[in-house]
Amino acid sequence: MGYKRFEEYNIKVTDELKNGYHTIISELGENPIREGLKKTPERAAKAMQFLTQGYHQDPAKILKSAMFREGYSDMVVVKDIELYSLCEHHMLPFFGKAHVAYIPDGQIVGLSKIPRVVDVFARRLQVQERLTHDILECINETVRPQGVAVVIEASHMCMMMRGIQKQNSVTTTSGFRGVFETVETRTEFLRLIGSDLS
């Protein structure tokens, strides 16, 4: 059986975005109907919908779909979660890793749901600072744990490809709620993820 791919896109949105990309390519001085670019506006339109699909997903609902009563009350850490997002200032990618921890208070959440929440917020036009805050507050408000911690380390193409053009720069953002606001708990988390923020 041959390769089969199934993707769904909003036809109206795809057509409008496709027309926009056609205009952009033309305004840049290229020929949007030459062989190599003929299908680029449609491909770009679909890619942009995929990269911003987080607007149509509910991260709290994702967490609630896999919450379980459990007496475990020690730290749960999911680290090195790959993330890819688009900077809202230039619509260029930024990418890196998220590290998330929480300490349950009577209920735990399915481990796969934490990376899913990261993806939902990353698949929107973002700034790293808000992305960190969005993930933190969603878990804190939905799961109601004793505390939540989020650290994101990312490289930004808007700093690497243009502007200041610093190839090796990494931006780190962090947020802490509840028991992670105490030095001891925060330090344990940072040690577990191998961060030097402490």
Side-chain angles (χ1 to χ4, degrees), residues 51-169:
L51 295 172
T52 58
Q53 64 186 288
Y55 288 116
H56 308 291
Q57 297 172 326
D58 184 343
K61 190 174 180 180
I62 290 170
L63 290 172
K64 288 175 182 175
S65 72
M67 288 172 57
F68 312 98
R69 294 193 180 280
E70 185 62 54
Y72 185 85
S73 59
D74 291 309
M75 193 181 302
V76 178
V77 181
V78 183
K79 68 177 188 174
D80 296 331
I81 303 167
E82 293 180 6
L83 71 84
Y84 302 91
S85 192
L86 290 174
C87 162
E88 67 180 35
H89 298 146
H90 304 97
M91 293 179 71
L92 289 172
F94 67 92
F95 56 92
K97 295 178 179 179
H99 313 286
V100 180
Y102 75 102
I103 297 179
D105 189 15
Q107 54 187 1
I108 59 172
V109 65
L111 293 178
S112 69
K113 304 308 176 187
I114 292 174
R116 287 185 188 279
V117 167
V118 171
D119 280 348
V120 168
F121 287 117
R123 296 298 190 187
R124 302 175 181 187
L125 299 181
Q126 279 286 11
V127 294
Q128 186 174 328
E129 296 88 342
R130 185 172 65 244
L131 177 58
T132 304
H133 178 267
D134 286 347
I135 296 165
L136 182 79
E137 293 302 337
C138 180
I139 295 170
N140 193 47
E141 292 172 9
T142 308
V143 182
R144 299 288 183 186
Q146 297 180 56
V148 187
V150 176
V151 170
I152 293 178
E153 303 164 297
S155 298
H156 293 248
M157 298 307 287
C158 59
M159 290 177 63
M160 298 166 71
M161 289 181 69
R162 61 167 300 285
I164 198 165
Q165 297 182 54
K166 296 301 179 188
Q167 306 306 311
N168 299 309
S169 62

